[in-house]
Each structure stands twice: as C-alpha cells, then as structure tokens.
Amino acid sequence: MEIVVSLVSSLVVEGVKFVYRSISSKIRSCWHGETIGDATDSHIKAAEHIPCPSIRDHTTASQTLAHILRLLHDDKVRRIGVWGMGGVGKSYLVKNLNNKLSSTMSSRQPFSLVIWATVLKTTSSQERDLKNLQNKIANRLKLKEEETMERTAILLLERLRREKFLLILDDVWETINLDLVGIPRPESHLGSKILLTARSLHICRSMMTDVEVKMEVLTDEEAWGLFKEHAGEVADSQSIKPLAGTVCKECGKLPLALITVGSAMRRKRQVGLWEDAIDELRMSRPSIDGIEPNLYSSLRLSYDSLQNEKLKSCFLYCCLYPEDYSILISELVECWWAEGLIDDQLTYHAALNRGIALIESLKDSCLLETGDSDNSVKMHGVVCDVAIWIATCASPESKFLVRANVRMIRLSKFELQRDLERVSLTRNSIKALSDKEMECPKMISIFLQHNSFLQNIPENFLQGFGALKVLNLGETQVRSLPVSLLHLRDLRALLLRSCNHLEELPPLGSLTKLCILDLHDTSIKQLPEGMDQLTNLRKLDLSYTLNLEFVLAETVSKLTSLEFLDMTESGYRWLIKPRPPLSYFEIYLQEHHTEQRATLEDLQSLQRLSILYLRLHDTVTAFEECDVYWIERLKTFCCSMALTYLVPDTPRPTEKDLSGDGIEWFISHATSLAFDNCCNLHEILEYVVINRVGCFTDIKILTLKDAMLNEGSNA
C-alpha cells in the first residue's frame, strides 16, 4: 500500500510526462527500502554536518547568518549570493548555515535535501571543473558516475526534481551553467534554492542571484577576541598587550589574517619578536610563519582572476598609495591615463568614465572599496599588503619600490635600482633628496607627495628619469622646481597639488607631451613661460590659486587640446574685453600688464573644452554682453558669482546686488551655480522658480552662501 501511495504522489508532483521507465525505477527503489520524494533515500542524510569553527560568539557573522535564514524562507528569493573579499569568512558562514540546517530538520525545515559542494578553481578547462562539480553532487546523492557529462546531468536532473533542495556552492569563480551540470533551475522547480559564495559581485550577478549579501570584516572587539583566541594568553600580558594590539590592527579585522598571524605569534613572550612582526607587517614582507602560503596566496587568487593584464596593472598601481588612504578617483584615473593603462586617445570625459568602470570592477572583486567620500577609493590594509607583495616580492622581475608611510627620513641612492618602473615614497618625513644623478631609465611613475618637510628638489635628482610619465610632488613645501624637469620629455602628468609654498615654475615649453597639470592651491602669481607650447594639455587645475594675477591671452588660445579647466576660487579676475567706461580696477590691471590679459572671450577658441569651473567677479549683465554661445557646448559648467576681488587684510565689502541681472541665463546653462554674499536672491529666485521653471533642467547643484533670504519665501 505504501508503494502505491508513493507512486501516486510522485505522479501528482512530477506530472504525467514521466513514462514507464521512471515509474519502474521508483518501484525498484521502494522494493529496496527507499522512500520516494522526501528526505531522500534511507542511506542519504538530508544534510551532512561539516566540521568547522562555530560563529556563535561572532555578532557580525551571526547577524548575517540570521539574515540568510530569513531569505531561505522567502518564497520570492530563489538564488542568494554571499560575496566578500578573500579571508573574510564566507565559507565559515555557509558551513555554519549548513550545520544549523542539519541540526534542525523538522516540519519547519523548508528543504528535504541540503547539498554542499566546494567549487574548485583549477588551471584546467572549465568543462573539467564542471565535471568535478557534477561528480561531487552525484556522490552526495549516491548516484553512479556515468561516462559522459550529458548522461550524468540527466540522472542528476531526474533525481533532484524529486526534492525540495538547497544547493550550497562554495567559492565560485566562474559562471556555472546549471543545465550542463544537471541542476534544476530553482525558478521552475518551486521550493528549491541555490546559495553561492564568491569574491566577486560580478559572479553573483552572472549567476542570476535575486539577493546579494556582502560579508563585512569584523568589529574591533570581534577582531581582538579572535586574535587573542589564536595568539593565546600572552596577548593579554602587560608587556605584550600594546604590541599585540598593533599587530591585531595590522590584520585589518580580516578573520583569515587574524587567525594566521595570531597563530604565528602564539605564546611568543619576547618583546623583540612582536616588534619585528609589526615591522614586517608594515613593510608587507611575508616572513611571518603562514603568511605567504595561507593568507597572501589565498588573496592572490582574487588578483589572478582579474579579467586582463591592464586591470591587474591598474590594481597594482593602487598600492603606490598608503593602505586605507582615500585616493581621489580623478587623480587615480589621471595617473592610469598618463601611463597608458587607459587609452590616451580617449577624451578626458571618456577616460574618466573608463577609469570609473575599471574601479567598479575592482570594487566588485573586493580589491578596492569606497573611500571616506564618494569621489574616492581605498585599499583594505591586507589587500594593499598583498598588492605590494605581488609588485615587489612575488617574482624576480619586480619593478616596484613601495616605501609609503614608513617614517623614512632620507632616500638612499642604492634603493633606486636601474630596473625600477614605479616608486612610492609618499607620506614620509623626507627632508632632502640626493643631489647625485639617479640612473633609473625605466622609471615611469614616482610619488613623493605628503612629505611635508621636503623643500627642495636637487637639480641632479631628476636627471636619470628620462622615461618618467607621472611625477607627484603634492603637499610638499617645495618653492620651485629644478630646470632638469625640462629633460622629462615623456612627462604626461605633473601633480603639484597643495604645494602652497610653490611660487613659480621653470619654462615648460619642452614638456610637449604633458596632459595633466595640477596647480591646485599653489602660490603661483602667473602661469609659467612656454605654456602656449603645451598643445597636448588636456587638464589644467588652477583652483584655489589665490595669488594668481595674470594669464596671458595668447597662452589660453593656444591650449588647443584643453578639455578641463578648473579655476574655482582662483584669484584671477576674468574680464570682458575692454569697453568704456572702465572701472578703476580694470584700469589698474591694464596699466600694470602691458601684455594682453586673457578674457572670457578667449575661452571660446578652446574647441575641445567640455568642463569649466570659474568664479565671476563681474556682473551678470556684463557677462551676457560678450559672445557666450560656446558655453552651451560644455558638458559641465560650474560658476560661482561672488564679491569683487578682496585684497588681503581689507574689510569685507557689502553684499553684491544682482538685481536686474538675468541670472536665469546662468541657471539654464550651468550644471553647478554658487552665489556668495549676494542680496535680493529671494526676489530673483522666486521669479525664476515661478515663471521660468524650465531653467532648472540642467542644474545639479545650487549653493547659496551668506545669502539673505526672506523667511517663508516661495523660492
């Protein structure tokens, strides 16, 4: 009787399309004491316990586990992706999930069968990987392995259709074709689900997951607890605890790093050993027991799985910045662009978009993360260590030297070897550089930014860097640059951001390949000679150059490749071409500069200009009197209207009255507009909002600073 009931129920579940062969196989199964259609055959457990450490005391992981359990009971969710960086504990989490399901088999359990399979990443063909996965699932179901994948797939499909199964696929590196393996699609096999773990969000999405759950690193308290668990009671001893805390911090709250390093330091009571461990971790040298085979090699798999060599180079480039340092996306992309990692034939806007796409790929692979602001990114400390290891130690052909944030005071000539291509000495305390010529003919990028004691670049220092493409001296105290700079004929990016003691530059006419010139927050009073020969210059950043007094008209008109000009908060006063009557300030400027000053009309000759930031000191009406049709072709036009130029230490003048000026023209053409200390704005904006609402089509940012607005104004 039980056989008949089982047969009937199977026909109801599976439909009448199953022919005699399927029914007869069920009869044979029943005669052999097997049960049809539920917690499967008597010799197959519904879920198998997998040995692994418990996450019961780990709040972060326990909360994530609870979230996944809720998703498993949600009928709308068929596929779940758990993703995160290598070593963050994804496998531990889903193993604990499997064990929880195996210990709570009851009427509340949504699955009759839970299958666990680790997806091995090998260097062989994808077909062989799929065959290995198929065999693991077949062995779990006690099915005989067939000669071909197709035949095994048919048996698996037939068998799994009798179950409400949960398939847990751990460590997925490539998209898995479920049909080839023989796994029923959960969308058409109601009650079944697939859960996978991966290091890449892209893999989850390619597997058509309905929900992606990111595994985060531990909290500070959890990290210290896990570290102490593996380091032993010595970590709490009076002499060791401060050092142990530093070692723990260097692990970046990453479970695999905490376990590996903690185990390596277990019961070590000599202070010197802990101090040495700190130095080794800071220098990214994997000499601590277990670091290279267990941690670094594991995380290197994420690097090896990147799509192409250019993306790998972009990733390694990030290790030139200090770990956990927020890197401006624009600066990073410009360096990639200057080095040729992004096609230099692209426009600046297109190159920036391409760079952002590369950054998103690295973020999806957990190799980069969002920085302290939305326009920045950073590297997790351990990922940065692995990148430095790959770039400097992992092969005999290493061409990087990274000494970022290691309290370096001086640079030895012997450290700059001939074969080096990229050097980072950022965030140190270097006071002086060698005045001897450095023979580094292959050097293409050198980072010296954030050395706040560095005041001078010796004349001979740059002599041996003939192939240099990127030179970053930002946030140093250099007051001038040596004439030897002019020998860097391949230089494409000269970054002098926030060198606020820099007052002048040598003539730059010989740097004809220069694409990026960043003079943000410098003290220059005029542009250097030879600027008119920089016909390949794409971006010129003169923002916050408060001392900038003079820009030659001829210089502006000859920057024919310029696409990006930023003069936010610059001291330079953009005028309209002379027209009577002249103001006292205009007369003063003309008397003190016999050469022709650049005016707003001169910008119209820059046919490639697409991004413009400027500050107007003149009235809007005066601005409208010039021919400004060219502004309409800009992708980004950010304009601030402010007070007349303030001479230092003079009283702040009264508010600027914009009454009668047609600012709706600016609102309709600007993507960003700022009003600083302007009055009557409530009347002007109210008119625009009510009568010219179409003006706001393109504007994204409207800033009112020190503005007097009527309370309850309709605007």
Side-chain angles (χ1 to χ4, degrees), residues 447-622:
F447 282 16
L448 284 162
Q449 68 268 33
H450 295 287
N451 279 283
S452 56
F453 298 110
L454 184 62
Q455 298 182 9
N456 179 48
I457 308 297
E459 186 65 43
N460 292 327
F461 179 74
L462 297 175
Q463 290 280 9
F465 299 152
L468 199 65
K469 293 182 178 180
V470 178
L471 175 59
N472 195 334
L473 292 168
E475 298 200 42
T476 60
Q477 293 191 41
V478 293
R479 297 181 180 274
S480 61
L481 295 180
V483 177
S484 57
L485 175 73
L486 308 182
H487 298 296
L488 306 179
R489 302 299 175 89
D490 282 334
L491 193 66
R492 286 165 168 78
L494 179 57
L495 309 178
L496 302 167
R497 193 173 187 83
S498 297
C499 291
N500 43 44
H501 289 83
L502 182 66
E503 297 181 353
E504 61 179 354
L505 291 171
L508 300 181
S510 61
L511 305 182
T512 56
K513 293 183 180 179
L514 196 66
C515 298
I516 310 290
L517 178 57
D518 190 343
L519 294 169
H520 164 90
D521 192 21
T522 57
S523 296
I524 61 167
K525 295 182 178 179
Q526 60 185 29
L527 296 184
E529 295 180 16
M531 282 283 292
D532 56 330
Q533 298 176 50
L534 303 184
T535 54
N536 285 307
L537 193 66
R538 307 282 196 90
K539 177 180 178 179
L540 176 59
D541 192 339
L542 295 169
S543 57
Y544 293 89
T545 48
L546 302 180
N547 295 328
L548 184 62
E549 297 176 353
F550 185 69
V551 175
L552 190 64
E554 185 180 9
T555 298
V556 172
S557 61
K558 290 188 176 180
L559 297 178
T560 54
S561 296
L562 197 65
E563 300 176 46
F564 187 118
L565 175 60
D566 189 350
M567 299 193 70
T568 305
E569 301 294 337
S570 173
Y572 184 71
R573 183 182 174 91
W574 286 100
L575 300 175
I576 312 303
K577 284 191 175 179
R579 66 208 179 288
L582 298 179
S583 69
Y584 172 81
F585 190 76
E586 291 169 325
I587 295 172
Y588 173 84
L589 290 175
Q590 286 192 5
E591 289 176 350
H592 286 75
H593 294 288
T594 56
E595 305 95 339
Q596 185 183 1
R597 290 173 50 83
T599 63
L600 282 167
E601 286 91 342
D602 294 313
L603 293 176
Q604 74 181 43
S605 64
L606 304 179
Q607 295 296 318
R608 297 186 182 182
L609 189 67
S610 62
I611 301 171
L612 175 62
Y613 295 78
L614 54 80
R615 182 178 179 89
L616 288 180
H617 301 281
D618 217 330
T619 66
V620 180
T621 301

Side-chain angles (χ1 to χ4, degrees), residues 573-576 579 583 586 600 614-626 628 639-645 656-663 665-666 675 678:
R573 183 182 174 91
W574 286 100
L575 300 175
I576 312 303
R579 66 208 179 288
S583 69
E586 291 169 325
L600 282 167
L614 54 80
R615 182 178 179 89
L616 288 180
H617 301 281
D618 217 330
T619 66
V620 180
T621 301
F623 184 81
E624 287 182 310
E625 288 177 4
C626 70
V628 289
C639 175
S640 64
M641 298 176 190
L643 297 165
T644 304
Y645 177 72
K656 182 175 182 177
D657 189 350
L658 292 178
S659 298
D661 287 340
I663 66 169
W665 185 91
F666 283 89
F675 296 101
C678 300

Side-chain angles (χ1 to χ4, degrees), residues 143-319:
L143 292 176
K144 181 181 177 182
E145 185 179 333
E146 298 290 336
E147 293 181 0
T148 64
M149 280 191 67
E150 291 81 3
R151 182 63 193 149
T152 306
I154 292 171
L155 291 180
L156 284 178
L157 192 65
E158 194 174 302
R159 179 68 185 82
L160 288 173
R161 276 178 172 166
R162 293 155 52 187
E163 305 291 345
K164 286 187 176 181
F165 66 85
L166 170 64
L167 176 60
I168 301 175
L169 299 172
D170 186 33
D171 207 14
V172 177
W173 289 87
E174 296 177 312
T175 306
I176 297 171
N177 189 322
L178 301 179
D179 298 330
L180 287 179
V181 178
I183 301 168
R185 295 180 176 230
E187 296 79 19
S188 57
H189 187 62
L190 301 182
S192 295
K193 298 180 189 286
I194 294 175
L195 185 147
L196 63 98
T197 72
R199 297 190 186 185
S200 169
L201 179 60
H202 168 73
I203 293 298
C204 294
R205 289 171 175 167
S206 71
M207 289 290 293
M208 305 293 289
T209 51
D210 300 308
V211 178
E212 296 86 33
V213 179
K214 187 176 183 182
M215 279 286 291
E216 303 290 353
V217 295
L218 303 178
T219 64
D220 291 330
E221 294 77 11
E222 290 171 337
W224 177 241
L226 183 61
F227 182 80
K228 284 198 302 179
E229 179 184 336
H230 288 82
E233 71 284 353
V234 67
D236 259 334
S237 65
Q238 186 176 359
S239 60
I240 299 298
K241 188 172 183 177
L243 299 172
T246 302
V247 172
C248 178
K249 186 177 180 180
E250 288 293 323
C251 295
K253 297 183 281 190
L254 189 66
L256 181 59
L258 292 160
I259 292 170
T260 303
V261 177
S263 299
M265 302 306 295
R266 189 171 181 82
R267 295 200 182 99
K268 292 185 177 180
R269 299 186 176 279
Q270 292 176 265
V271 169
L273 295 177
W274 287 85
E275 291 175 340
D276 179 66
I278 292 170
D279 291 338
E280 293 294 293
L281 289 169
R282 284 177 173 167
M283 297 295 287
S284 306
R285 292 190 294 242
S287 58
I288 299 173
D289 290 344
I291 284 280
E292 184 172 336
N294 296 333
L295 179 60
Y296 282 20
S297 296
S298 172
L299 289 172
R300 178 167 182 159
L301 291 176
S302 297
Y303 165 80
D304 291 335
S305 69
L306 292 176
Q307 298 169 5
N308 52 59
E309 292 304 315
K310 277 198 173 180
L311 189 56
K312 291 179 179 179
S313 295
C314 288
F315 164 69
L316 293 181
Y317 199 93
C318 297
C319 79

